[in-house]
Amino acid sequence: MLKGIAWGISTSFLFSVYIVLSKNLLGHFASPWLLLASGIGIVALLLSIIKRRHVYKEWNRRQWSLVVSMALLSGVFNFSTLLCINYLPASIAAMFLSLSSVVLLLRTCRIESRPPIPLKLAAVIFAAAGAFLVLGVKIQTFPFIGLLFGVSTLIFSTSADILTGRMRGMVNTKEVVFSKQLSKVAFACLGLILISRLPSTLTLR
């Protein structure tokens, strides 16, 4: 449990650094370029994936469908995140990402057809109150498209987390990470193609 908490805190810290860095870089680079840069880690996994290629021949249809679904969810989540960061202040974008744990709790309870325990319910209430104080009071000052990407980030993030839980024990962690990195590269290339075909006045910054 302590190891899980340590990883959770580390992940939150890295995400905050990612948000601040992305917010600064978006003034100089379009979103697809940043998404492509974040997917560079795929290079470090290539050798391991090649060595394990014999494993993939034994995968059944369910395993392949889980990996493909994870890749798609990860791609749209990362793209939505960058676009949310682009249109909203870094603190508001971070708030959407932090709310994913609360939304995940509610979605998990709905899937398992059980009510949340009182402590978790209290966490949901406090998180909702905090989001209202940060966002609700001045919601009209933020662009609608940024809020839309923020909500999309919530949906895709929790969906990816739920899918990750279903993949546990069925697919190796390296394959899960590789599928996420591969989707970043694929979505980044798609975004760059779209940018090249847009009028010069429209950009995916």
Side-chain angles (χ1 to χ4, degrees), residues 138-194:
K138 297 182 178 181
I139 192 169
Q140 69 279 0
T141 64
F142 302 111
F144 174 76
I145 189 170
L147 299 175
L148 181 62
F149 281 123
V151 174
S152 298
T153 297
L154 271 177
I155 295 172
F156 296 135
S157 173
T158 54
S159 297
D161 288 338
I162 291 172
L163 185 59
T164 300
R166 292 177 178 175
M167 295 174 72
R168 190 177 296 116
M170 296 183 63
V171 180
N172 187 279
T173 305
K174 289 184 178 180
E175 274 76 38
V176 177
V177 176
F178 182 80
S179 67
K180 291 182 177 182
Q181 294 297 99
L182 183 61
S183 71
K184 289 181 180 181
V185 175
F187 273 82
C189 292
L190 178 61
L192 291 173
I193 293 173
L194 291 175

Side-chain angles (χ1 to χ4, degrees), residues 31 76-88 93 96-97 143-156 204-205:
S31 301
V76 292
F77 160 69
N78 282 284
F79 222 153
S80 294
T81 301
L82 282 174
L83 292 173
C84 175
I85 295 171
N86 179 61
Y87 289 104
L88 296 176
F96 276 108
L97 287 172
F144 174 76
I145 189 170
L147 299 175
L148 181 62
F149 281 123
V151 174
S152 298
T153 297
L154 271 177
I155 295 172
F156 296 135
L204 290 177
R205 280 285 183 90

